[in-house]
Structure formats: structure tokens, C-alpha cells
Amino acid sequence: MRTKIVAGNWKMNLNREESIELVNAISAELKHLELGNNRVMVFPPSINIEAAQNSKSRDARVEVGAQNMHQANGGAFTGEISASMLIGANVKTVILGHSERREYFNETDSLLKEKVDQALENNLEVVFCFGEKLEERNAKSHFDVVERQLKKALFHLTEAQWANIILAYEPVWAIGTGMTATPEQAQEMHAFIRNTIGSAFNDKLAGAVSILYGGSVKPNNAEEIFGKPDVDGGLIGGASLNASDFSAIIKAM
Ligand code: 13P
């Protein structure tokens, strides 16, 4: 069975104290919850990863990951953070390809391929984000866009490397807009993604990869979206900043 995951992308929010408070509050909410094989992750800004990670009241099941990393081993890249630095901070998982990185920091498919390779070489697990813009959906090119994003950054990987890939389909028009994809739209795209991977690799691999949905997931819509057969959980922005909302979403997984 595929692993279900609810992950909170905190983006550029919360200072050190607030990060510790939130991770503790989420831990308190999860206290009596049986998670089984399901996973919970939070992704604070890099500077607060260790504070969240080291908080004594953190439930060990609340994994702490990173939102981004640079593609190089190291060197003259002012302001950047490498894969080995993340490993040094006990990070196991890194988000790559978020639409905000693609849009505001010019991250292209080929750059993301380099980042994915660098992360996997350093034994990091990758939450790879992708998804179409509104104009692409309106032009009915959303399947082509998604296929291209996957192919260019991930289809050179070996089967063994795919074990460390988690996918997050995040239609750009649904991010932070309150305009979530319908459960049917999410399922349609997730099934397409799984079929595309199945054709490029094989059905066993495609059946094993977790595909999260992201874009305005809230406590009142999570259960319906997560109930779809190819949706394996969610990557949550705004609602992950509130412990009770985020916990309600975790409970819907
Ligand atoms: P929202 O949940 O705020 O729409 O953000 C989704 C997202 O971008 C998660 O990475």
C-alpha cells in the first residue's frame, strides 16, 4: 500500500519562537492519534529547521524538512544552502520545484533536474512539486504541461531512485486562492500522472509513488479530496500554519 502523507509548507512565515510553538501545538494535537504508516511533515524556513527539529515537545512523528536547496555541492553562491548542509541539520526530505520557486526565482525544468539529482545523490528524499497555471488549464494544455514537468526533471531517474520521490501536484491557480481543484479534477490529474509514470517505467513503480494534492486544502475539503483513489494526501500552505486546522487535515488522511 502507498504511504499517505500530509505535509505543511510554511513558506516564508513564522519566526523562531512561532516555529517552535507551532510544531509543539501540532504534536499536542496528534498525541492520541494512531498514524500507522501515514506520515506528517512540516517544512519551516531553513533558518528555523533546527529549532523546530530540536523542540523537546515535538512528536517524533512530525518530520521536519526543508523548502529548497541549491544544486551545487558548495561554493560561491551567496545566500544559498547545499544538500549536505541539510543532511547536517538532520533533514531527510526537501521540497523542490514549488511553483513559487519556478515563478519568482526562475527555476526551470532543467535546473530542477539538477536539484533532484543533487538531492538524491545526498540521500535526501524529494517532494517534487509541479502543476499547470490557469491559462494552461483554460487552453486545455494542463496534461501536456504536467507531463513535460515530470519528464524533464524525473524521467531519467532509475527505479531505485524513485523510492525517494514523493510527487505533489499543485495547480498554480489553486494555490493560496481558496479556489481548490474539485476532487474529480484532482483525481483525473493524479490518475493521468500515475498512468504517465506507468508507461514510462512500469505499473509497480507507478503504483508505489505517493502523489499529494496541494492548493487550498482546508479542514472542510480535505476528506473529500483525500478520499479519491489516486490522491495520497496533501501539501498544505495556509492551513498548515494553524495547529488545529492542520491536525484536522491530518485526521482526514
Ligand atoms: P495553500 O494551501 O495556501 O493554497 O498553498 C498550497 C501550497 O503552495 C503548498 O505548497
Side-chain angles (χ1 to χ4, degrees), residues 9 11 98 100 170 174-176 215-217 235-238:
N9 176 8
K11 307 191 180 182
H98 193 279
E100 288 146 20
E170 299 203 299
I175 295 178
S216 298
V217 177
L235 182 56
I236 322 300

Side-chain angles (χ1 to χ4, degrees), residues 5 96 116-117 119-120 124-130 150 153-154 157-168 197 205 208-211:
I5 301 164
L96 294 176
V116 167
D117 287 342
L120 296 178
L124 284 163
E125 176 182 56
V126 173
V127 176
F128 184 78
C129 302
F130 56 96
L150 291 173
L154 301 178
L157 298 178
T158 64
E159 278 194 43
Q161 286 178 310
W162 272 90
N164 286 317
I165 299 288
I166 295 161
L167 299 177
I197 296 169
L205 188 155
V209 62
S210 298
I211 310 178

